[in-house]
Amino acid sequence: MLIFEAVVYETPPQQAEILLDESLFPRIASGDKAAFLALYEKCSSPVFAYALSILRSRSDSEDAMQDTFLKIRSAAHLYQPLGKPLAWILTITRNICLMMYRQHAHTAQLPEEDRVQDPGFDRIQNAEDRMTLEKAFTILPEDSCRIIMLHALSGMKHREIAELMNMPLSTVLSKYKRGIEKLRSELEGML
């Protein structure tokens, strides 16, 4: 309902930010499966959404999500507590996606219409959010779509998204605002 509400209402309701306990990483490094499962349960949706916004393919995004959590499991001992564990996780995701993207550049790619037909939005429980994401995925530029997905699905603040995407905050804010306005105008006829 978060994405739908952001599009429909002038001032969307405040959403809960994904709060991660940084003590999970040393526990994961020591082999604690419960800590790894807790991290996965809190972060799998934002990781998948971010990978999907980059790769635009459900199967590739699922692979990237799996690789991200494998990397986290093997590199958890390297995590430095700086108060931004989700940003660290999404940086890993971005790097894996870019590596996959480069690998695909050397192989035959699917036509664009085949890549976006089944993006995997069936993972989103709320029907309104699913409809909004599907529309965003088809009509918005990649950057705007990625910003909206990161903000709505992971609860990241705009300045955190700016840092993650290496963009000025003002650019992130304007892309978010224009994307929401475009979604709003497209969805008005559907409501």
Side-chain angles (χ1 to χ4, degrees):
M1 191 71 145
L2 294 174
I3 297 170
F4 182 74
E5 288 175 351
V7 172
V8 173
Y9 302 111
E10 287 299 317
T11 54
Q14 288 300 90
Q15 58 198 25
E17 184 177 345
I18 295 177
L19 297 175
L20 295 175
D21 181 7
E22 290 184 301
S23 70
L24 289 174
F25 295 101
R27 291 174 44 207
I28 291 169
S30 68
D32 185 343
K33 291 179 182 169
F36 185 73
L37 180 61
L39 181 75
Y40 179 83
E41 287 174 351
K42 285 189 174 192
C43 296
S44 62
S45 289
V47 167
F48 178 77
Y50 187 52
L52 184 62
S53 73
I54 296 171
L55 298 170
R56 296 194 170 254
S57 164
R58 179 185 184 152
S59 62
D60 288 346
S61 300
E62 288 172 344
D63 289 346
M65 183 175 73
Q66 179 179 343
D67 290 350
T68 297
F69 284 100
L70 289 172
K71 181 70 171 177
I72 290 169
R73 191 164 193 174
S74 66
H77 65 284
L78 299 174
Y79 176 74
Q80 297 295 317
L82 299 172
K84 298 183 180 184
L86 187 59
W88 183 74
I89 292 168
L90 292 178
T91 299
I92 292 171
T93 305
R94 182 185 66 214
N95 292 339
I96 288 171
C97 289
L98 293 176
M99 182 181 65
M100 290 175 75
Y101 191 75
R102 282 190 296 270
Q103 287 173 346
H104 285 312
H106 297 292
T107 61
Q109 288 209 7
L110 292 172
E112 184 65 24
E113 61 272 3
D114 291 343
R115 290 181 59 77
V116 295
Q117 275 188 345
D118 184 21
F121 292 129
D122 56 338
R123 292 171 163 253
I124 310 296
Q125 299 297 320
N126 185 291
E128 294 161 341
D129 278 352
R130 187 171 40 250
M131 177 183 72
T132 305
L133 274 176
E134 288 170 351
K135 194 60 140 171
F137 205 73
T138 58
I139 66 168
L140 294 179
E142 286 185 33
D143 284 347
S144 295
C145 184
R146 192 171 303 141
I147 290 166
I148 290 170
M149 291 174 81
L150 284 171
H151 183 69
L153 292 178
S154 69
M156 289 182 78
K157 296 187 182 339
H158 288 63
R159 77 179 138 63
E160 295 171 331
I161 295 169
E163 289 174 21
L164 180 68
M165 294 180 68
N166 295 321
M167 288 182 176
L169 177 60
S170 59
T171 302
V172 169
L173 290 169
S174 67
K175 286 180 181 274
Y176 178 81
K177 186 176 189 286
R178 280 188 302 233
I180 291 294
E181 287 170 358
K182 188 169 184 176
L183 276 175
R184 184 178 290 132
S185 68
E186 288 286 327
L187 291 173
E188 277 179 351
M190 299 174 74
L191 298 176

